[in-house]
Amino acid sequence: MRNFLIQVFKFYIPKGLISKNFAEDVIKKPRPKGAPEAYRTWTFEEVQTVLDAASPQLRAALATIFCTGQDPTDALEFRKDQVDDGVIWKGRNKTNVGAAIPIGSVLVSELARVPAHDAPTLLASSKGTPWTYDGFASAWQRLRTKLEKDGRAAPGLTPKGLRHTTATRLREAGQDEREISDLLAQCNGTGISAVSRKTSGQAGRTRKSTKDQALTRCQAEATAW
């Protein structure tokens, strides 16, 4: 509710209908000890299973969230005119922090599968129009319910969990918190440990020097798509 009100107030402040964002001063309710992770990370097998079962339009949306590490609301709003020389230039809605998001080979392949559409956004619904968040959430809920009922997916999968998954894989690929923060358009590096706290720290991994190399690697390891 707090986050919802923050966005509502942000919308109305420029219109002069409210003086400040009162919701930002509300103290967050602490998470109960032992509570399950709100947006758990996905295994690579879960990513593959879900994408294979999704419609072409939903698959493209989920793959874009995973391959860019952005919030679902941000990924759905990527516009074609924000793409320049293999990079998506987009500010994150929640933080107003800009990000240069490299389009790796996996995402290029996924976007090539999307049925042609005239929407100004990279992604479009089955109607050929930009996704609304409600429409995306409804399509995702139907798919998740079916996969859970068939025993093909464990409970707890969320689209936002794909963002956490990307952060975790980038950490495993050797990226430091500042680099991950830049890519995911965090305000600073302080939130990264919470987003990517499930890390393996395998000693044999080779450290990559650029974000796009690490992102491409984490995408490529995810799939035999």
Side-chain angles (χ1 to χ4, degrees):
M1 177 61 73
R2 175 181 179 274
N3 290 339
F4 171 74
L5 289 176
I6 286 175
Q7 297 306 315
V8 171
F9 290 148
K10 280 184 178 180
F11 177 80
Y12 283 109
I13 287 174
K15 299 178 181 295
L17 299 176
I18 193 169
S19 61
K20 61 173 288 187
N21 199 325
F22 296 98
E24 290 182 336
D25 296 328
V26 176
I27 299 175
K28 291 183 178 181
K29 184 178 180 180
R31 173 180 290 276
K33 291 184 178 180
E37 185 181 2
Y39 305 111
R40 74 169 178 85
T41 54
W42 296 38
T43 66
F44 286 147
E45 290 75 15
E46 288 174 328
V47 174
Q48 293 170 9
T49 296
V50 170
L51 292 183
D52 287 343
S55 67
Q57 293 81 8
L58 183 58
R59 175 184 175 118
L62 293 169
T64 299
I65 295 168
F66 172 70
C67 290
T68 64
Q70 300 303 299
D71 276 325
T73 51
D74 292 307
L76 295 177
E77 294 178 0
F78 287 157
R79 299 193 314 270
K80 295 173 182 176
D81 62 7
Q82 290 175 325
V83 179
D84 182 30
D85 195 23
V87 176
I88 301 171
W89 300 88
K90 171 73 166 67
R92 187 182 175 205
N93 294 335
K94 182 178 179 180
T95 61
N96 290 323
V97 174
I101 306 162
I103 302 177
S105 58
V106 173
L107 183 53
V108 169
S109 176
E110 287 296 320
L111 292 177
R113 301 167 60 118
V114 179
H117 62 83
D118 295 325
T121 48
L122 283 178
L123 303 169
S125 68
S126 58
K127 298 178 181 178
T129 56
W131 279 103
T132 64
Y133 186 77
D134 286 346
F136 168 76
S138 177
W140 161 246
Q141 181 64 27
R142 290 194 299 270
L143 175 62
R144 186 182 71 175
T145 299
K146 183 179 187 303
L147 291 176
E148 289 181 359
K149 183 178 179 180
D150 294 344
R152 296 161 60 193
L157 292 181
T158 63
K160 190 161 185 174
L162 287 171
R163 172 177 168 83
H164 292 224
T165 302
T166 299
T168 297
R169 304 313 175 199
L170 288 170
R171 171 71 69 79
E172 291 175 343
Q175 298 303 106
D176 61 34
E177 291 188 0
R178 179 69 266 171
E179 291 169 324
I180 300 173
S181 178
D182 289 344
L183 181 63
L184 271 58
Q186 295 277 352
C187 284
N188 51 56
T190 59
I192 297 302
S193 59
V195 173
S196 59
R197 58 182 174 272
K198 291 186 176 180
T199 60
S200 65
Q202 296 178 9
R205 294 190 180 273
T206 302
R207 185 177 185 83
K208 296 294 185 181
S209 61
T210 62
K211 295 189 293 293
D212 58 330
Q213 289 174 318
L215 187 57
T216 298
R217 173 180 173 176
C218 93
Q219 294 166 11
E221 286 181 345
T223 131
W225 295 347

